[in-house]
Coordinates of all heavy atoms in Angstrom, one line a residue:
Y152 N 88.4 58.8 159.3 CA 88.2 59.2 157.9 C 89.1 60.5 157.6 O 88.9 61.5 158.3 CB 86.7 59.6 157.7 CG 86.5 60.3 156.3 CD1 86.9 59.7 155.1 CD2 85.9 61.5 156.2 CE1 86.7 60.4 153.9 CE2 85.7 62.2 155.0 CZ 86.1 61.6 153.9 OH 85.9 62.2 152.7
D153 N 90.0 60.3 156.7 CA 90.9 61.5 156.3 C 90.3 62.1 155.1 O 90.2 61.8 154.0 CB 92.2 60.9 155.8 CG 93.3 62.0 155.8 OD1 93.0 63.1 155.5 OD2 94.5 61.6 155.7
Q154 N 89.7 63.4 155.5 CA 88.8 64.0 154.6 C 89.5 64.5 153.3 O 89.0 64.3 152.2 CB 88.2 65.2 155.4 CG 87.0 65.9 154.6 CD 86.4 67.0 155.4 OE1 87.0 68.0 155.8 NE2 85.1 66.8 155.7
P155 N 90.6 65.2 153.5 CA 91.2 65.7 152.2 C 91.7 64.6 151.3 O 91.7 64.7 150.1 CB 92.4 66.6 152.7 CG 92.1 67.0 154.1 CD 91.3 65.8 154.6
A156 N 92.2 63.6 152.0 CA 92.7 62.4 151.1 C 91.6 61.5 150.6 O 91.8 60.7 149.7 CB 93.7 61.5 152.0
F157 N 90.3 61.7 151.2 CA 89.2 60.9 150.7 C 89.6 59.4 150.9 O 89.4 58.5 150.1 CB 88.8 61.1 149.4 CG 87.4 60.6 149.1 CD1 86.3 60.8 149.9 CD2 87.2 60.0 147.8 CE1 85.1 60.3 149.6 CE2 85.9 59.4 147.5 CZ 84.8 59.6 148.5
R158 N 90.0 59.1 152.2 CA 90.5 57.7 152.5 C 89.9 57.4 153.9 O 90.0 58.2 154.8 CB 92.0 57.6 152.5 CG 92.5 57.8 150.9 CD 93.9 57.3 150.8 NE 94.4 57.4 149.4 CZ 95.4 56.8 148.9 NH1 96.2 56.1 149.8 NH2 95.8 57.0 147.7
M159 N 89.7 56.2 154.0 CA 89.3 55.5 155.3 C 90.7 54.9 155.8 O 91.3 54.1 155.1 CB 88.3 54.4 155.3 CG 87.8 53.8 156.5 SD 86.9 55.1 157.6 CE 85.3 54.9 156.5
K160 N 91.1 55.2 157.0 CA 92.4 54.7 157.4 C 92.2 54.1 158.9 O 91.3 54.5 159.7 CB 93.4 55.8 157.6 CG 93.7 56.4 156.1 CD 94.7 57.6 156.4 CE 95.0 58.3 155.0 NZ 95.9 59.4 154.9
K161 N 93.2 53.1 159.1 CA 93.4 52.6 160.5 C 94.8 53.0 160.9 O 95.7 52.6 160.4 CB 93.2 51.1 160.5 CG 93.0 50.6 161.9 CD 92.7 49.0 161.9 CE 92.2 48.5 163.1 NZ 92.0 47.1 163.0
Y162 N 94.8 53.7 162.0 CA 96.0 54.3 162.4 C 96.5 53.8 163.9 O 95.5 53.7 164.7 CB 95.8 55.9 162.5 CG 96.9 56.7 163.0 CD1 98.1 56.9 162.4 CD2 96.9 57.2 164.4 CE1 99.2 57.7 162.9 CE2 97.9 58.1 164.9 CZ 99.1 58.2 164.1 OH 100.1 59.0 164.6
Y163 N 97.7 53.4 164.0 CA 98.2 53.0 165.2 C 99.1 54.0 165.9 O 100.2 54.2 165.4 CB 99.0 51.7 165.0 CG 98.2 50.6 164.6 CD1 97.9 50.3 163.3 CD2 97.6 49.7 165.7 CE1 97.0 49.2 162.9 CE2 96.8 48.6 165.3 CZ 96.6 48.4 163.9 OH 95.6 47.4 163.5
P164 N 98.5 54.6 166.9 CA 99.2 55.9 167.5 C 100.5 55.5 168.2 O 101.4 56.3 168.1 CB 98.2 56.4 168.4 CG 97.3 55.4 168.8 CD 97.3 54.5 167.5
S165 N 100.6 54.3 168.8 CA 101.8 53.9 169.4 C 103.0 53.7 168.6 O 104.1 53.9 169.0 CB 101.5 52.5 170.3 OG 101.2 51.6 169.4
T166 N 102.8 53.5 167.3 CA 103.9 53.2 166.3 C 103.8 54.2 165.2 O 104.7 54.2 164.3 CB 103.9 51.8 165.7 OG1 102.6 51.6 165.1 CG2 103.9 50.7 166.8
E167 N 102.8 55.1 165.2 CA 102.6 56.1 164.1 C 102.7 55.4 162.7 O 103.5 55.7 161.9 CB 103.7 57.2 164.3 CG 103.4 58.1 165.5 CD 104.3 59.4 165.4 OE1 105.1 59.6 164.5 OE2 104.1 60.2 166.3
S168 N 101.8 54.4 162.5 CA 101.8 53.7 161.3 C 100.3 53.4 160.9 O 99.4 53.5 161.8 CB 102.5 52.4 161.5 OG 101.9 51.6 162.5
L169 N 100.1 53.1 159.7 CA 98.8 52.8 159.1 C 98.8 51.2 158.7 O 99.8 50.7 158.2 CB 98.5 53.6 157.8 CG 98.3 55.1 158.0 CD1 98.1 55.7 156.6 CD2 97.2 55.4 158.9
S170 N 97.6 50.7 159.0 CA 97.5 49.2 158.5 C 96.4 49.2 157.5 O 96.4 48.3 156.7 CB 97.1 48.3 159.7 OG 95.8 48.6 160.1
I171 N 95.5 50.1 157.4 CA 94.3 50.2 156.5 C 94.4 51.6 155.9 O 94.5 52.6 156.5 CB 93.1 49.8 157.1 CG1 93.0 48.6 157.9 CG2 91.9 50.0 156.0 CD1 93.1 47.4 156.9
N172 N 94.3 51.7 154.5 CA 94.4 52.9 153.9 C 93.5 52.7 152.5 O 94.1 52.5 151.5 CB 95.9 53.3 153.5 CG 96.0 54.7 153.0 OD1 95.0 55.5 153.0 ND2 97.2 55.1 152.7
V173 N 92.2 53.0 152.7 CA 91.3 52.6 151.6 C 91.0 53.8 150.8 O 90.6 54.8 151.3 CB 90.0 52.0 152.2 CG1 89.0 51.7 151.1 CG2 90.2 50.8 153.1
E174 N 91.2 53.7 149.4 CA 90.9 54.8 148.5 C 89.4 54.7 148.2 O 89.0 53.8 147.5 CB 91.7 54.5 147.2 CG 93.2 54.5 147.4 CD 93.9 54.2 146.2 OE1 93.3 54.1 145.1 OE2 95.2 54.4 146.3
L175 N 88.7 55.6 148.9 CA 87.2 55.6 148.8 C 86.6 56.0 147.5 O 85.4 55.6 147.2 CB 86.6 56.5 149.9 CG 86.8 56.0 151.4 CD1 86.4 57.1 152.3 CD2 86.1 54.7 151.6
E176 N 87.4 56.6 146.6 CA 86.9 57.0 145.4 C 86.5 55.8 144.5 O 85.7 55.8 143.5 CB 87.9 57.8 144.5 CG 89.3 57.2 144.3 CD 90.3 57.6 145.3 OE1 89.8 58.0 146.5 OE2 91.4 57.5 145.0
R177 N 87.1 54.6 144.8 CA 86.8 53.3 144.1 C 85.4 52.8 144.6 O 84.9 52.0 143.9 CB 87.9 52.3 144.3 CG 89.3 52.7 143.8 CD 90.3 51.6 144.1 NE 91.6 52.1 143.5 CZ 92.7 51.3 143.6 NH1 92.5 50.1 144.3 NH2 93.9 51.7 143.1
L178 N 85.0 53.3 145.7 CA 83.8 52.7 146.4 C 82.6 53.6 146.5 O 81.4 53.2 146.4 CB 84.1 52.2 147.8 CG 85.4 51.3 147.9 CD1 85.6 51.0 149.4 CD2 85.0 49.9 147.2
I179 N 82.9 55.0 146.6 CA 81.8 55.8 146.9 C 82.0 57.2 146.2 O 83.1 57.6 145.9 CB 81.9 56.2 148.4 CG1 81.7 55.0 149.2 CG2 80.9 57.3 148.9 CD1 82.0 55.2 150.8
N180 N 80.9 57.7 145.7 CA 80.8 59.0 145.1 C 81.1 60.1 146.2 O 80.4 60.3 147.1 CB 79.5 59.4 144.4 CG 79.4 60.6 143.8 OD1 80.2 61.5 143.9 ND2 78.5 60.6 142.8
G181 N 82.1 60.8 146.0 CA 82.5 61.8 147.0 C 81.6 63.0 147.2 O 81.5 63.5 148.3
N182 N 80.6 63.2 146.3 CA 79.5 64.2 146.4 C 78.6 63.7 147.4 O 77.7 64.4 147.9 CB 79.1 64.5 145.1 CG 80.0 65.3 144.2 OD1 80.8 66.0 144.7 ND2 79.9 65.0 142.9
D183 N 78.4 62.4 147.7 CA 77.4 61.7 148.4 C 78.1 61.2 149.7 O 77.6 60.1 150.2 CB 76.7 60.7 147.7 CG 75.9 61.3 146.5 OD1 75.5 62.4 146.6 OD2 75.7 60.5 145.6
W184 N 79.0 61.9 150.2 CA 79.8 61.2 151.4 C 80.2 62.3 152.4 O 81.1 63.1 152.0 CB 81.0 60.5 150.8 CG 81.9 59.8 151.9 CD1 83.2 60.2 152.1 CD2 81.6 58.7 152.7 NE1 83.7 59.4 153.1 CE2 82.8 58.4 153.5 CE3 80.6 57.8 152.9 CZ2 82.9 57.4 154.4 CZ3 80.6 56.8 153.7 CH2 81.8 56.6 154.5
N185 N 79.7 62.2 153.5 CA 80.0 63.0 154.7 C 79.8 62.3 155.9 O 78.8 62.5 156.7 CB 79.3 64.4 154.6 CG 79.8 65.4 155.8 OD1 81.0 65.4 156.1 ND2 79.0 66.3 156.3
P186 N 80.7 61.5 156.3 CA 80.6 60.7 157.6 C 80.7 61.5 158.8 O 81.5 62.5 159.0 CB 81.8 59.7 157.5 CG 82.8 60.3 156.7 CD 82.0 61.2 155.7
I187 N 79.7 61.3 159.7 CA 79.6 62.0 161.0 C 79.7 61.2 162.2 O 79.9 61.8 163.4 CB 78.3 62.9 161.0 CG1 77.2 61.9 160.9 CG2 78.4 63.9 160.0 CD1 75.8 62.7 161.0

Side-chain angles (χ1 to χ4, degrees):
Y152 169 56
D153 192 338
Q154 189 177 63
F157 195 44
R158 295 193 177 193
M159 187 75 70
K160 298 179 178 180
K161 193 177 193 181
Y162 176 72
Y163 289 88
S165 59
T166 59
E167 293 192 353
S168 62
L169 297 175
S170 68
I171 303 292
N172 191 1
V173 179
E174 299 177 2
L175 291 173
E176 59 266 19
R177 299 180 179 182
L178 307 172
I179 298 171
N180 183 341
N182 295 325
D183 296 332
W184 176 251
N185 185 28
I187 56 175

